[in-house]
Coordinates of all heavy atoms in Angstrom, one line a residue:
M9 N 13.0 -0.2 -6.6 CA 12.1 -0.8 -5.7 C 12.2 -2.3 -5.7 O 12.4 -2.9 -6.8 CB 10.6 -0.5 -6.1 CG 9.6 -0.8 -5.0 SD 8.0 -0.3 -5.5 CE 8.1 1.5 -5.5
A10 N 12.3 -2.9 -4.5 CA 12.4 -4.4 -4.5 C 11.1 -5.1 -4.8 O 10.0 -4.5 -4.6 CB 12.9 -4.8 -3.1
S11 N 11.2 -6.3 -5.3 CA 10.0 -7.0 -5.6 C 10.0 -8.3 -4.8 O 10.9 -9.1 -4.8 CB 10.0 -7.4 -7.1 OG 8.9 -8.0 -7.5
K12 N 8.9 -8.5 -4.0 CA 8.8 -9.6 -3.2 C 7.7 -10.5 -3.6 O 6.6 -10.1 -3.8 CB 8.6 -9.2 -1.7 CG 9.8 -8.5 -1.0 CD 9.5 -8.3 0.4 CE 10.7 -7.8 1.2 NZ 11.7 -8.8 1.3
A13 N 8.0 -11.8 -3.6 CA 7.0 -12.8 -3.9 C 6.2 -13.0 -2.7 O 6.7 -13.2 -1.6 CB 7.6 -14.1 -4.4
M14 N 4.9 -13.1 -2.8 CA 4.0 -13.5 -1.7 C 4.0 -15.0 -1.6 O 4.7 -15.6 -2.4 CB 2.6 -12.9 -1.9 CG 2.6 -11.4 -1.9 SD 1.0 -10.6 -2.1 CE 0.3 -10.8 -0.5
R15 N 3.2 -15.6 -0.8 CA 3.1 -17.0 -0.8 C 1.7 -17.4 -0.8 O 0.8 -16.7 -0.4 CB 3.9 -17.6 0.4 CG 3.3 -17.3 1.7 CD 4.1 -18.1 2.8 NE 3.6 -17.7 4.1 CZ 2.5 -18.3 4.7 NH1 1.7 -19.1 4.0 NH2 2.1 -17.9 5.9
R16 N 1.5 -18.6 -1.3 CA 0.1 -19.1 -1.4 C -0.4 -19.4 0.0 O 0.3 -19.9 0.9 CB 0.2 -20.4 -2.1 CG -1.1 -21.0 -2.5 CD -0.8 -22.5 -3.0 NE -0.3 -22.5 -4.4 CZ -1.1 -22.6 -5.4 NH1 -2.4 -22.7 -5.3 NH2 -0.6 -22.6 -6.6
V17 N -1.6 -19.1 0.3 CA -2.2 -19.4 1.6 C -2.5 -20.9 1.6 O -3.0 -21.5 0.7 CB -3.6 -18.7 1.8 CG1 -4.3 -19.1 3.0 CG2 -3.4 -17.2 1.8
R18 N -2.0 -21.5 2.7 CA -2.1 -23.0 2.8 C -3.6 -23.4 3.1 O -4.3 -22.6 3.7 CB -1.3 -23.5 4.0 CG 0.2 -23.5 3.7 CD 1.0 -23.9 4.9 NE 2.2 -23.2 4.9 CZ 2.9 -23.1 6.0 NH1 2.5 -23.6 7.2 NH2 4.1 -22.4 6.0
E19 N -3.9 -24.5 2.7 CA -5.3 -25.0 3.0 C -5.5 -25.1 4.5 O -4.7 -25.6 5.2 CB -5.4 -26.4 2.4 CG -6.9 -26.8 2.1 CD -7.0 -28.0 1.3 OE1 -6.1 -28.4 0.6 OE2 -8.0 -28.7 1.5
G20 N -6.6 -24.5 5.0 CA -6.9 -24.5 6.4 C -6.3 -23.4 7.1 O -6.5 -23.2 8.3
E21 N -5.5 -22.6 6.5 CA -4.9 -21.5 7.1 C -5.8 -20.3 7.0 O -5.9 -19.6 6.0 CB -3.5 -21.2 6.4 CG -2.8 -20.0 7.1 CD -1.5 -19.7 6.4 OE1 -1.4 -19.8 5.2 OE2 -0.5 -19.4 7.1
V22 N -6.5 -20.0 8.1 CA -7.5 -18.9 8.1 C -7.1 -17.8 9.0 O -7.1 -18.1 10.2 CB -8.9 -19.4 8.4 CG1 -9.9 -18.3 8.4 CG2 -9.3 -20.5 7.5
P23 N -6.7 -16.7 8.5 CA -6.3 -15.6 9.5 C -7.4 -15.2 10.4 O -8.6 -15.3 10.0 CB -5.9 -14.5 8.5 CG -5.6 -15.2 7.2 CD -6.5 -16.4 7.2
L24 N -7.1 -14.8 11.5 CA -8.1 -14.4 12.6 C -8.9 -13.2 12.1 O -10.1 -13.2 12.4 CB -7.3 -13.9 13.8 CG -6.7 -15.0 14.7 CD1 -6.1 -14.3 15.9 CD2 -7.8 -15.9 15.2
D25 N -8.3 -12.3 11.6 CA -9.1 -11.1 11.2 C -8.6 -10.6 9.9 O -7.7 -11.1 9.2 CB -9.0 -10.0 12.3 CG -7.6 -9.8 12.7 OD1 -6.7 -10.2 12.0 OD2 -7.4 -9.2 13.8
G26 N -9.2 -9.5 9.4 CA -8.8 -9.0 8.1 C -9.6 -9.7 7.1 O -10.3 -10.7 7.3
G27 N -9.4 -9.3 5.9 CA -10.1 -9.9 4.8 C -9.2 -10.2 3.6 O -8.0 -10.0 3.7
T28 N -9.8 -10.7 2.6 CA -9.1 -10.9 1.4 C -9.4 -9.9 0.3 O -10.6 -9.7 0.0 CB -9.4 -12.3 0.8 OG1 -9.1 -13.3 1.8 CG2 -8.6 -12.6 -0.5
A29 N -8.4 -9.1 -0.1 CA -8.6 -8.2 -1.1 C -8.6 -8.9 -2.5 O -7.8 -9.7 -2.7 CB -7.5 -7.1 -1.1
V30 N -9.6 -8.6 -3.3 CA -9.7 -9.2 -4.6 C -9.3 -8.3 -5.7 O -9.8 -7.1 -5.8 CB -11.2 -9.7 -4.8 CG1 -11.3 -10.3 -6.2 CG2 -11.6 -10.7 -3.8
Q31 N -8.3 -8.7 -6.4 CA -7.9 -7.9 -7.5 C -8.8 -8.0 -8.7 O -8.9 -9.1 -9.3 CB -6.4 -8.3 -7.9 CG -5.8 -7.4 -9.0 CD -4.4 -7.9 -9.4 OE1 -4.2 -9.1 -9.5 NE2 -3.5 -7.0 -9.6
D32 N -9.5 -6.9 -9.0 CA -10.5 -7.0 -10.1 C -9.8 -6.9 -11.5 O -10.2 -7.5 -12.4 CB -11.5 -5.8 -10.0 CG -12.3 -5.9 -8.8 OD1 -12.7 -7.1 -8.4 OD2 -12.6 -4.9 -8.1
D33 N -8.8 -6.1 -11.5 CA -8.1 -5.8 -12.8 C -6.7 -6.3 -12.7 O -5.9 -5.8 -11.9 CB -8.1 -4.3 -13.1 CG -7.4 -4.0 -14.4 OD1 -6.8 -4.8 -15.0 OD2 -7.5 -2.8 -14.7
P34 N -6.3 -7.4 -13.4 CA -5.0 -7.9 -13.3 C -3.9 -7.0 -13.6 O -2.7 -7.2 -13.2 CB -5.0 -9.1 -14.3 CG -6.4 -9.4 -14.5 CD -7.1 -8.1 -14.3
G35 N -4.2 -5.9 -14.3 CA -3.2 -4.9 -14.7 C -3.0 -3.8 -13.6 O -2.2 -2.9 -13.8
R36 N -3.7 -3.9 -12.6 CA -3.7 -2.8 -11.6 C -3.5 -3.4 -10.2 O -4.3 -4.2 -9.7 CB -5.0 -2.0 -11.6 CG -4.9 -0.6 -11.3 CD -6.2 0.2 -11.6 NE -7.3 -0.5 -10.9 CZ -8.6 -0.3 -11.2 NH1 -8.9 0.7 -12.0 NH2 -9.5 -0.9 -10.5
P37 N -2.4 -3.0 -9.5 CA -2.2 -3.5 -8.1 C -3.4 -3.1 -7.2 O -4.0 -2.0 -7.3 CB -0.9 -2.8 -7.7 CG -0.3 -2.4 -8.9 CD -1.4 -2.1 -9.9
V38 N -3.7 -3.9 -6.2 CA -4.8 -3.7 -5.3 C -4.4 -2.5 -4.3 O -5.2 -1.7 -4.0 CB -5.1 -4.9 -4.5 CG1 -6.2 -4.7 -3.5 CG2 -5.6 -6.1 -5.4
F39 N -3.2 -2.6 -3.9 CA -2.7 -1.5 -3.0 C -1.6 -0.7 -3.6 O -0.7 -1.3 -4.3 CB -2.2 -2.2 -1.7 CG -3.2 -3.0 -0.9 CD1 -3.0 -4.3 -0.7 CD2 -4.4 -2.4 -0.5 CE1 -3.9 -5.1 0.0 CE2 -5.3 -3.1 0.2 CZ -5.1 -4.5 0.4
R40 N -1.6 0.6 -3.4 CA -0.5 1.4 -3.9 C -0.1 2.3 -2.7 O -0.9 2.9 -2.0 CB -1.0 2.4 -4.9 CG -1.2 1.7 -6.3 CD -1.9 2.7 -7.2 NE -2.2 2.1 -8.5 CZ -1.3 1.9 -9.5 NH1 -0.1 2.4 -9.4 NH2 -1.7 1.3 -10.6
G41 N 1.2 2.4 -2.5 CA 1.8 3.2 -1.4 C 3.1 3.8 -1.8 O 3.4 3.8 -3.0
N42 N 3.7 4.3 -0.8 CA 5.0 5.0 -1.1 C 6.2 4.2 -0.4 O 7.2 4.8 -0.1 CB 5.0 6.4 -0.6 CG 4.0 7.3 -1.3 OD1 3.9 7.3 -2.5 ND2 3.1 7.9 -0.5
G43 N 5.9 3.0 -0.2 CA 6.9 2.2 0.5 C 8.0 1.6 -0.4 O 8.1 2.0 -1.5
E44 N 8.6 0.6 0.1 CA 9.9 0.1 -0.6 C 9.7 -1.1 -1.4 O 10.5 -1.4 -2.2 CB 10.9 -0.2 0.5 CG 10.5 -1.3 1.5 CD 11.4 -1.3 2.7 OE1 11.4 -0.4 3.5 OE2 12.2 -2.3 2.8
N45 N 8.6 -1.8 -1.3 CA 8.5 -3.1 -2.0 C 7.2 -3.2 -2.9 O 6.2 -2.7 -2.6 CB 8.4 -4.3 -1.0 CG 9.6 -4.4 -0.2 OD1 10.7 -4.2 -0.6 ND2 9.4 -4.6 1.1
D46 N 7.4 -4.0 -4.0 CA 6.3 -4.5 -4.8 C 6.0 -5.9 -4.3 O 7.0 -6.6 -3.9 CB 6.6 -4.6 -6.2 CG 6.6 -3.2 -6.9 OD1 6.0 -2.3 -6.4 OD2 7.1 -3.1 -8.1
Y47 N 4.8 -6.3 -4.3 CA 4.5 -7.7 -3.9 C 3.8 -8.4 -5.1 O 2.9 -7.8 -5.6 CB 3.6 -7.7 -2.7 CG 4.3 -7.3 -1.4 CD1 4.5 -6.0 -1.0 CD2 4.8 -8.3 -0.6 CE1 5.3 -5.7 0.1 CE2 5.6 -8.0 0.6 CZ 5.8 -6.7 0.9 OH 6.5 -6.4 2.0
V48 N 4.3 -9.5 -5.4 CA 3.9 -10.2 -6.6 C 3.3 -11.6 -6.2 O 3.6 -12.2 -5.2 CB 5.0 -10.4 -7.7 CG1 5.6 -9.0 -8.0 CG2 6.1 -11.3 -7.2
C49 N 2.4 -12.0 -7.1 CA 1.7 -13.3 -6.9 C 2.7 -14.5 -6.9 O 3.6 -14.6 -7.7 CB 0.7 -13.5 -8.1 SG -0.2 -15.0 -8.0
A50 N 2.5 -15.4 -5.9 CA 3.3 -16.6 -5.8 C 3.2 -17.5 -7.0 O 4.2 -18.2 -7.3 CB 2.9 -17.3 -4.6
E51 N 2.1 -17.4 -7.7 CA 1.9 -18.3 -8.8 C 2.3 -17.8 -10.1 O 3.0 -18.5 -10.9 CB 0.4 -18.7 -8.8 CG 0.0 -19.9 -9.5 CD 0.7 -21.2 -8.9 OE1 0.8 -21.3 -7.7 OE2 1.0 -22.1 -9.7
C52 N 1.9 -16.6 -10.4 CA 2.1 -16.1 -11.8 C 2.9 -14.8 -11.8 O 3.1 -14.2 -12.9 CB 0.7 -15.9 -12.5 SG -0.2 -14.5 -11.8
A53 N 3.4 -14.3 -10.7 CA 4.2 -13.1 -10.6 C 3.6 -11.8 -11.1 O 4.2 -10.8 -11.3 CB 5.6 -13.3 -11.4
N54 N 2.3 -11.8 -11.1 CA 1.5 -10.6 -11.4 C 1.7 -9.7 -10.2 O 1.8 -10.1 -9.0 CB 0.1 -11.0 -11.5 CG -0.8 -9.8 -12.1 OD1 -0.3 -9.0 -12.8 ND2 -2.0 -9.8 -11.7
V55 N 1.8 -8.4 -10.4 CA 2.0 -7.4 -9.3 C 0.7 -7.2 -8.6 O -0.3 -6.7 -9.2 CB 2.6 -6.1 -9.8 CG1 2.7 -5.1 -8.7 CG2 4.0 -6.3 -10.5
L56 N 0.6 -7.5 -7.3 CA -0.6 -7.4 -6.6 C -0.7 -6.1 -5.7 O -1.7 -5.6 -5.4 CB -0.8 -8.6 -5.7 CG -0.8 -9.9 -6.4 CD1 -1.0 -11.0 -5.4 CD2 -2.0 -10.0 -7.4
A57 N 0.5 -5.7 -5.3 CA 0.6 -4.5 -4.4 C 1.9 -3.8 -4.8 O 2.9 -4.4 -5.0 CB 0.5 -4.8 -3.0
T58 N 1.9 -2.5 -4.8 CA 3.1 -1.7 -5.1 C 3.4 -0.7 -4.1 O 2.5 -0.1 -3.5 CB 3.0 -1.2 -6.6 OG1 4.3 -0.6 -6.9 CG2 1.9 -0.1 -6.7
G59 N 4.6 -0.5 -3.8 CA 5.0 0.6 -2.9 C 4.6 0.3 -1.4 O 4.3 1.3 -0.7
M60 N 4.7 -0.9 -1.0 CA 4.2 -1.3 0.3 C 5.4 -1.6 1.2 O 6.4 -2.2 0.8 CB 3.3 -2.5 0.3 CG 2.1 -2.3 -0.6 SD 1.0 -0.9 -0.1 CE 0.3 -1.6 1.5
N61 N 5.3 -1.2 2.5 CA 6.4 -1.6 3.4 C 5.9 -2.9 4.1 O 4.8 -3.2 4.2 CB 6.5 -0.5 4.5 CG 7.3 0.7 4.0 OD1 8.3 0.5 3.2 ND2 6.8 1.9 4.3
P62 N 6.9 -3.7 4.6 CA 6.6 -5.0 5.2 C 5.6 -4.9 6.3 O 4.8 -5.8 6.5 CB 8.0 -5.4 5.7 CG 9.0 -4.8 4.8 CD 8.4 -3.4 4.5
E63 N 5.6 -3.8 7.1 CA 4.7 -3.7 8.2 C 3.3 -3.5 7.8 O 2.3 -3.7 8.5 CB 5.1 -2.6 9.2 CG 5.1 -1.2 8.6 CD 6.5 -0.8 8.2 OE1 7.3 -1.7 7.7 OE2 6.8 0.4 8.2
H64 N 3.1 -3.1 6.5 CA 1.7 -3.0 6.0 C 1.2 -4.3 5.4 O 0.0 -4.4 5.1 CB 1.7 -1.9 4.9 CG 2.0 -0.6 5.4 ND1 2.8 0.3 4.7 CD2 1.7 0.1 6.5 CE1 2.9 1.4 5.4 NE2 2.3 1.3 6.5
M65 N 2.1 -5.2 5.3 CA 1.8 -6.5 4.6 C 1.9 -7.7 5.5 O 2.5 -8.6 5.3 CB 2.7 -6.7 3.4 CG 2.5 -5.6 2.3 SD 0.9 -5.6 1.5 CE 1.0 -7.0 0.5
G66 N 1.3 -7.5 6.7 CA 1.4 -8.6 7.7 C 0.4 -9.7 7.4 O -0.2 -9.8 6.3
K67 N 0.1 -10.4 8.5 CA -0.7 -11.6 8.3 C -2.2 -11.3 8.1 O -2.9 -12.2 7.7 CB -0.6 -12.5 9.5 CG -1.0 -11.9 10.8 CD -0.8 -12.9 12.0 CE -1.3 -12.3 13.3 NZ -0.4 -11.2 13.7
R68 N -2.6 -10.1 8.3 CA -4.0 -9.8 8.0 C -4.3 -9.6 6.5 O -5.4 -9.5 6.1 CB -4.4 -8.5 8.7 CG -4.4 -8.7 10.2 CD -4.9 -7.4 10.9 NE -4.7 -7.5 12.3 CZ -4.9 -6.5 13.1 NH1 -5.3 -5.3 12.6 NH2 -4.8 -6.6 14.4
V69 N -3.2 -9.4 5.8 CA -3.4 -9.0 4.4 C -3.3 -10.2 3.4 O -2.3 -10.8 3.4 CB -2.4 -7.9 4.0 CG1 -2.6 -7.5 2.5 CG2 -2.5 -6.7 4.9
R70 N -4.4 -10.4 2.8 CA -4.4 -11.5 1.7 C -4.9 -10.8 0.5 O -5.8 -10.0 0.5 CB -5.4 -12.6 2.1 CG -4.8 -13.5 3.2 CD -5.9 -14.4 3.7 NE -7.0 -13.7 4.4 CZ -8.1 -14.2 4.8 NH1 -8.4 -15.4 4.5 NH2 -9.0 -13.4 5.4
I71 N -4.4 -11.2 -0.6 CA -4.8 -10.7 -1.9 C -5.1 -11.9 -2.9 O -4.2 -12.7 -3.1 CB -3.7 -9.8 -2.5 CG1 -3.4 -8.7 -1.5 CG2 -4.3 -9.2 -3.8 CD1 -2.2 -7.8 -2.0
K72 N -6.2 -11.8 -3.5 CA -6.6 -12.8 -4.5 C -6.2 -12.3 -5.8 O -6.7 -11.2 -6.3 CB -8.1 -13.1 -4.4 CG -8.5 -14.3 -5.3 CD -10.0 -14.6 -5.1 CE -10.3 -15.8 -5.9 NZ -11.7 -16.2 -5.6
C73 N -5.3 -13.0 -6.5 CA -4.8 -12.6 -7.8 C -5.9 -12.5 -8.8 O -6.6 -13.4 -9.0 CB -3.7 -13.5 -8.2 SG -2.9 -13.2 -9.8
G74 N -5.9 -11.4 -9.6 CA -6.9 -11.2 -10.6 C -6.6 -12.0 -11.8 O -7.5 -12.2 -12.7
R75 N -5.4 -12.5 -12.0 CA -5.0 -13.3 -13.2 C -5.2 -14.8 -12.9 O -5.9 -15.5 -13.8 CB -3.6 -13.0 -13.5 CG -3.2 -13.7 -14.9 CD -1.7 -13.5 -15.1 NE -1.5 -12.1 -15.5 CZ -0.2 -11.6 -15.6 NH1 0.8 -12.4 -15.4 NH2 0.0 -10.4 -16.0
C76 N -4.7 -15.3 -11.8 CA -4.7 -16.8 -11.7 C -5.6 -17.2 -10.5 O -5.7 -18.4 -10.2 CB -3.3 -17.3 -11.6 SG -2.5 -16.9 -10.0
R77 N -6.2 -16.3 -9.8 CA -7.1 -16.6 -8.7 C -6.4 -17.2 -7.4 O -7.1 -17.7 -6.6 CB -8.2 -17.5 -9.2 CG -9.1 -16.9 -10.2 CD -10.0 -15.8 -9.6 NE -10.5 -15.0 -10.6 CZ -10.9 -13.7 -10.4 NH1 -10.7 -13.2 -9.2 NH2 -11.4 -12.9 -11.3
T78 N -5.1 -17.2 -7.4 CA -4.5 -17.7 -6.2 C -4.6 -16.7 -5.1 O -4.5 -15.5 -5.3 CB -3.0 -17.9 -6.5 OG1 -2.8 -18.9 -7.5 CG2 -2.2 -18.4 -5.3
V79 N -4.9 -17.2 -3.9 CA -5.0 -16.3 -2.7 C -3.6 -16.2 -2.1 O -3.0 -17.2 -1.7 CB -6.0 -16.7 -1.7 CG1 -6.0 -15.8 -0.5 CG2 -7.4 -16.8 -2.3
N80 N -3.0 -15.0 -2.1 CA -1.7 -14.8 -1.6 C -1.6 -14.1 -0.2 O -2.5 -13.3 0.1 CB -0.9 -13.9 -2.6 CG -0.6 -14.5 -3.9 OD1 0.4 -15.1 -4.1 ND2 -1.6 -14.5 -4.8
I81 N -0.6 -14.4 0.5 CA -0.4 -13.8 1.8 C 1.1 -13.4 1.8 O 1.9 -14.1 1.3 CB -0.8 -14.7 3.0 CG1 -0.8 -13.9 4.3 CG2 0.1 -15.9 3.0 CD1 -1.5 -14.7 5.4
A82 N 1.4 -12.2 2.5 CA 2.8 -11.8 2.5 C 3.5 -12.3 3.7 O 4.7 -12.4 3.7 CB 2.8 -10.2 2.4
A83 N 2.8 -12.5 4.8 CA 3.5 -12.9 6.0 C 4.3 -14.2 5.8 O 3.8 -15.1 5.3 CB 2.4 -13.1 7.1
E84 N 5.5 -14.1 6.3 CA 6.3 -15.3 6.2 C 6.1 -16.3 7.4 O 6.3 -17.5 7.3 CB 7.8 -14.9 6.1 CG 8.1 -14.4 4.7 CD 9.3 -13.5 4.7 OE1 10.1 -13.6 5.6 OE2 9.4 -12.6 3.8
V85 N 5.5 -15.7 8.4 CA 5.2 -16.6 9.6 C 3.9 -17.3 9.4 O 2.9 -16.7 9.0 CB 5.1 -15.7 10.9 CG1 4.7 -16.5 12.1 CG2 6.4 -14.9 11.1
P86 N 3.9 -18.6 9.5 CA 2.6 -19.3 9.4 C 1.5 -18.8 10.3 O 1.8 -18.4 11.5 CB 2.9 -20.8 9.8 CG 4.4 -20.9 9.6 CD 5.0 -19.5 9.9
V87 N 0.3 -18.7 9.8 CA -0.7 -18.0 10.5 C -1.2 -18.9 11.7 O -1.7 -18.4 12.7 CB -1.9 -17.7 9.6 CG1 -3.1 -17.2 10.4 CG2 -1.5 -16.6 8.6
E88 N -0.9 -20.2 11.7 CA -1.2 -21.0 12.8 C -0.6 -20.5 14.1 O -1.2 -20.6 15.2 CB -0.7 -22.4 12.7 CG -1.4 -23.3 11.6 CD -0.7 -23.2 10.3 OE1 -0.4 -22.1 9.8 OE2 -0.3 -24.3 9.8
M89 N 0.5 -19.8 14.0 CA 1.2 -19.3 15.2 C 0.4 -18.2 15.9 O 0.6 -17.9 17.0 CB 2.6 -18.8 14.9 CG 3.5 -19.9 14.5 SD 5.2 -19.4 14.1 CE 5.7 -18.7 15.7
A90 N -0.4 -17.6 15.1 CA -1.2 -16.4 15.6 C -2.6 -16.9 16.0 O -3.4 -16.0 16.3 CB -1.3 -15.3 14.6
R91 N -2.9 -18.1 15.9 CA -4.3 -18.6 16.1 C -4.7 -18.4 17.6 O -3.9 -18.5 18.5 CB -4.3 -20.1 15.8 CG -5.8 -20.6 15.6 CD -5.7 -22.0 15.2 NE -5.6 -22.1 13.7 CZ -5.4 -23.2 13.0 NH1 -5.2 -24.3 13.7 NH2 -5.3 -23.2 11.7
R92 N -5.9 -18.0 17.7 CA -6.4 -17.7 19.0 C -6.5 -18.9 19.9 O -6.8 -20.0 19.5 CB -7.9 -17.2 18.9 CG -8.4 -16.5 20.1 CD -9.9 -16.2 19.9 NE -10.2 -15.7 18.5 CZ -10.6 -14.4 18.3 NH1 -10.8 -13.6 19.3 NH2 -10.8 -14.0 17.1
K93 N -6.1 -18.8 21.2 CA -6.1 -19.9 22.1 C -7.5 -20.2 22.6 O -8.2 -19.2 22.9 CB -5.1 -19.7 23.3 CG -3.7 -19.7 22.9 CD -2.8 -19.7 24.1 CE -1.3 -19.7 23.8 NZ -0.8 -18.4 23.3
R94 N -7.9 -21.4 22.8 CA -9.2 -21.7 23.3 C -9.1 -22.0 24.8 O -8.2 -22.6 25.2 CB -9.8 -22.9 22.6 CG -10.2 -22.6 21.2 CD -10.5 -23.9 20.4 NE -10.7 -23.6 19.0 CZ -11.9 -23.4 18.5 NH1 -13.0 -23.4 19.2 NH2 -12.0 -23.2 17.2
Ligands
ZN129 ZN1 -1.5 -14.9 -9.9

């Protein structure tokens, strides 16, 4: 299984929808699936989600690391690009 680092959510980067999953137990991934990748914290490399496919880890998914409290996002595309037009 591949291991992918997430990235830190930038200041002011607020996704349109979805929420932030909070990892209560640093030893247990928030999401478990049967996909191809593990997703790890950008800051401390703690495993936040396991067995996830990239399409499940889009810009709506944020995970707050249970170990270091960093809010991580998997999307490589900056969320500004998805911001709603006024
Ligand atoms: Zn962390």
Side-chain angles (χ1 to χ4, degrees):
M9 194 179 289
S11 185
K12 285 187 175 293
M14 297 180 76
R15 66 175 175 82
R16 189 192 281 268
V17 173
R18 288 177 214 160
E19 204 170 330
E21 183 182 36
V22 181
L24 282 181
D25 47 16
T28 302
V30 177
Q31 186 183 37
D32 294 320
D33 179 353
R36 211 172 50 191
V38 177
F39 299 122
R40 286 174 185 275
N42 299 309
E44 58 191 74
N45 299 318
D46 281 346
Y47 286 84
V48 303
C49 178
E51 198 63 33
C52 70
N54 192 29
V55 178
L56 301 178
T58 186
M60 301 302 287
N61 285 319
E63 63 264 33
H64 297 137
M65 297 294 288
K67 61 181 182 290
R68 291 182 190 177
V69 180
R70 286 170 293 171
I71 306 174
K72 186 173 188 177
C73 178
R75 186 186 288 169
C76 72
R77 298 287 164 206
T78 297
V79 179
N80 289 267
I81 190 165
E84 282 154 27
V85 179
V87 172
E88 289 96 303
M89 291 181 65
R91 197 173 275 168
R92 197 190 314 249
K93 291 191 179 77
R94 286 169 191 266

